[in-house]
């Protein structure tokens, strides 16, 4: 089943190489993706899919497309098109860092280190956190951190490992602890965002941006926590992060519907029209597979979490894949971007496709993606 599912990934990706050329699939209602230039926070996911398809198949067509896509990230950095956000890790871990990991392209390594320096510019020393969005001292966004940033920290840990420069590790460690303390609640649910006084660093309170309410649990944010803390355990050796990933996994699993694919928010009222977010489940599966890969074979949670991850990916393959829908651009149906903002509440989202691809490649070939160097 999983091998057949990945053959669909390869076929659809080859079609999209021809369809999008030098543009990037982003999000889309119905069966189509909107094609955009390399200026958004989501663009790295397409590059990551191309690199994974090449690693799986060794087909030079995917390598050529991955190289072409990655070269645009080099130009993007040269032109300073990085926007006022923290998602440099999503952009460069899955493009230039992937290039370095797969081909040992020295220029790709150099550019990835430059990208890590760009992320450091979002460090706010007053409160010791990485500001998620907007310019420094922005009245609305100044002082905000978000749980998604956990997935950008691997870029900083990688830069520390490559250079030995403690500044990267210091910032990553501090952001990890801020996230642990302020974005994870006592029951191991999570806030999407948290605010600090940007002048004093004093904590103000949790809020949401894409979830149902400030006090609800946005399922994709919970999935970022599962994966992010699993990666933190690998990169720091702090066993508490592994335990935190386990507990956030437990919360996610306890709130899953019968078909094992999450609704967009765990606390939103359920109706016949309630939106799913297949991307949240794809991220959670990838995070759970990373989590079990960090466990010893005798760890009491390994088998249970692995079985749960396989149940979710099986449901994605059987019930949410676009196999059999030839007009579809994406790999998964029923991803949600921003439900409250009515921005693609039910359609294709490129990050869902990436993490679905990553999970399948890990299952089939043991390839973990591009968040860290491989042994």
């Amino acid at each position: 089943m999983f091998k057949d599912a990945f053959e669909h990934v390869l076929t659809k990706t080859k079609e999209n190489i021809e369809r999008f050329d030098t543009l990037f699939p982003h999000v889309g209602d119905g069966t189509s993706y909107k094609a955009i230039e390399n200026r958004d926070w989501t663009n790295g996911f397409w590059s990551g899919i191309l690199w994974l398809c090449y690693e799986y198949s060794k087909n030079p067509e995917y390598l050529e497309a991955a190289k072409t896509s990655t070269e645009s990230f080099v130009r993007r950095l040269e032109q300073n098109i990085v926007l006022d956000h923290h998602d440099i890790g999503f952009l460069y871990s899955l493009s230039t860092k992937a290039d370095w990991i797969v081909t040992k392209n020295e220029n790709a390594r150099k550019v990835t280190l430059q990208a890590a320096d760009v992320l450091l510019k979002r460090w706010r020393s007053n409160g010791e956190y990485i500001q998620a969005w907007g310019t420094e001292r922005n009245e609305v966004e100044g002082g905000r951190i978000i749980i998604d940033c956990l997935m950008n920290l691997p870029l900083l840990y990688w830069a520390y490992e490559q250079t030995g420069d403690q500044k990267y590790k210091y910032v990553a460690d501090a952001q990890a602890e801020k996230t642990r303390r302020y974005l994870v609640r006592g029951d191991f649910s999570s806030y999407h965002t948290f605010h600090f006084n940007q002048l004093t660093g004093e904590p103000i309170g949790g809020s949401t941006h894409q979830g149902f309410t400030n006090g609800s649990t946005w399922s994709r944010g919970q999935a970022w926590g599962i994966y992010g803390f699993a990666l933190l355990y690998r990169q720091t050796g702090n066993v508490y992060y592994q335990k935190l990933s386990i507990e956030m996994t437990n919360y996610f699993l306890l709130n899953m519907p019968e078909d094992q694919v999450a609704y967009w928010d765990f606390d939103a009222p359920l109706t016949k029209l309630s939106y799913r977010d297949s991307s949240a489940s794809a991220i959670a599966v990838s995070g759970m597979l990373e989590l079990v890969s960090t466990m010893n074979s005798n760890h009491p949670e390994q088998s249970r979490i692995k079985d749960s991850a396989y149940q979710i990916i099986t449901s994605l393959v059987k019930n949410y894949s676009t196999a059999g829908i030839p007009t579809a651009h994406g790999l998964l149906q029923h991803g949600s971007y921003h439900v409250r903002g009515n921005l693609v509440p039910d359609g294709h989202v490129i990050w869902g496709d990436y993490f679905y691809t990553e999970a399948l490649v890990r299952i089939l070939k043991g390839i973990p993606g591009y968040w860290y160097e491989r042994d």
Side-chain angles (χ1 to χ4, degrees), residues 16-276:
N16 284 337
I17 290 171
E18 297 174 359
R19 180 178 287 123
F20 295 110
D21 193 20
T22 59
L23 297 176
F24 290 75
H26 174 46
V27 297
D29 294 309
T31 60
S32 299
Y33 262 130
K34 179 182 178 181
I36 62 175
E37 294 183 354
N38 192 355
R39 304 181 69 90
D40 204 272
W41 73 273
T42 63
N43 297 125
F45 298 112
W46 172 237
S47 297
I49 290 171
L50 294 172
W51 283 111
L52 288 171
C53 285
Y54 169 67
E55 283 208 89
Y56 179 91
S57 69
K58 298 304 180 184
N59 184 330
E61 185 174 350
Y62 297 110
L63 176 61
E64 181 181 355
K67 284 284 191 181
T68 298
S69 174
T70 298
E71 286 167 3
S72 74
F73 285 90
V74 177
R75 294 192 297 272
R76 181 170 175 170
L77 203 63
E78 291 172 348
Q79 297 166 12
N80 197 32
I81 308 174
V82 292
L83 307 180
D84 291 321
H85 63 65
H86 65 144
D87 287 319
I88 310 304
F90 281 137
L91 294 171
Y92 285 88
S93 287
L94 304 181
S95 59
T96 56
K97 178 144 68 80
D99 190 0
W100 161 253
I101 289 171
V102 176
T103 73
K104 295 306 175 187
N105 177 351
E106 185 59 39
N107 188 59
R109 175 183 176 275
K110 177 182 176 182
V111 172
T112 309
L113 289 171
Q114 292 171 350
D117 289 334
V118 171
L119 180 54
L120 286 183
K121 293 178 181 178
R122 302 204 61 77
W123 174 248
R124 306 295 180 242
S125 57
N126 284 355
E128 295 217 313
Y129 56 81
I130 295 173
Q131 182 178 323
W133 303 318
T135 56
E136 190 170 8
R137 304 297 171 87
N138 181 286
E139 291 184 5
V140 176
E141 302 301 346
R144 189 199 296 263
I145 66 171
I146 71 174
I147 198 164
D148 315 37
C149 192
L150 287 174
M151 299 300 294
N152 294 310
L153 300 186
L155 176 62
L156 297 181
Y157 284 114
W158 176 87
Y160 165 66
E161 292 164 0
Q162 292 291 311
T163 66
D165 193 327
Q166 288 284 338
K167 67 183 179 184
Y168 301 109
K169 184 177 185 300
Y170 180 86
V171 169
D173 285 347
Q175 181 71 17
E177 278 300 287
K178 274 287 191 298
T179 303
R180 179 190 68 81
R181 291 184 62 190
Y182 294 104
L183 286 171
V184 182
R185 304 185 184 110
D187 63 354
F188 302 105
S189 65
S190 55
Y191 287 114
H192 182 194
T193 89
F194 198 94
H195 298 265
F196 298 88
N197 182 307
Q198 55 189 313
L199 298 179
T200 66
E202 181 181 0
I204 296 173
S207 68
T208 194
H209 178 69
Q210 289 172 252
F212 178 60
T213 65
N214 287 344
S216 71
T217 301
W218 179 50
S219 61
R220 190 156 76 246
Q222 189 77 9
W224 293 136
I226 291 168
Y227 204 162
F229 284 113
L231 289 170
L232 279 171
Y233 172 63
R234 178 180 293 276
Q235 291 161 325
T236 69
N238 185 339
V239 72
Y240 187 78
Y241 290 138
Q242 186 188 58
K243 293 178 180 178
L244 199 53
S245 181
I246 293 170
E247 294 294 350
M248 294 189 78
T249 296
N250 290 339
Y251 187 94
F252 194 94
L253 295 174
L254 284 171
N255 285 276
M256 293 289 269
E258 186 176 354
D259 74 350
Q260 299 299 302
V261 174
Y263 287 99
W264 71 282
D265 189 289
F266 290 131
D267 298 293
L270 290 182
T271 71
K272 292 182 179 179
L273 300 177
S274 293
Y275 295 112
R276 300 299 183 108

Side-chain angles (χ1 to χ4, degrees), residues 304-318:
R304 178 182 66 86
I305 292 175
K306 183 178 180 180
D307 288 347
S308 296
Y310 272 65
Q311 289 175 23
I312 296 171
I313 191 67
T314 297
S315 182
L316 289 173
V317 169
K318 289 184 175 181

